[in-house]
Amino acid sequence: MEKKVADKQFYYNSTSTAEGAFQNVSNWVEGTSPSCLISGNRPCSMTVPDGSDLGDVISGLTNDQVLAIHPTERRP
């Protein structure tokens, strides 16, 4: 039987909106977000496809590029 590994979910766990903060993997925590209600134009959650890690997905991206990955998954 083949074992299917699910995509991973991460949430942004920092108050920083400085350029480059969104691509910093240490600002993200694996799991589902406890709340996306903190204000500010910041990411909320990120889905990382099976076979990739968060660094593969966001490394080297600007804040705007990270926000564009999941445009509906951001804090208002």
Side-chain angles (χ1 to χ4, degrees):
M1 235 177 141
E2 197 173 315
K3 195 184 234 185
K4 177 158 175 52
V5 178
D7 295 342
K8 294 178 189 170
Q9 191 75 21
F10 292 84
Y11 68 93
Y12 189 70
N13 193 35
S14 174
T15 57
S16 179
T17 57
E19 187 55 50
F22 300 168
Q23 64 134 340
N24 185 341
V25 295
S26 66
N27 288 338
W28 294 83
V29 176
E30 189 170 354
T32 56
S33 176
S35 174
C36 290
L37 301 176
I38 299 170
S39 64
N41 193 25
R42 291 177 292 156
C44 180
S45 63
M46 176 78 57
T47 302
V48 175
D50 176 36
S52 295
D53 65 35
L54 183 61
D56 293 336
V57 176
I58 64 174
S59 181
L61 299 181
T62 66
N63 284 0
D64 286 340
Q65 289 171 321
V66 172
L67 287 172
I69 293 172
H70 296 291
T72 59
E73 292 294 323
R74 69 172 70 178
R75 294 182 162 122

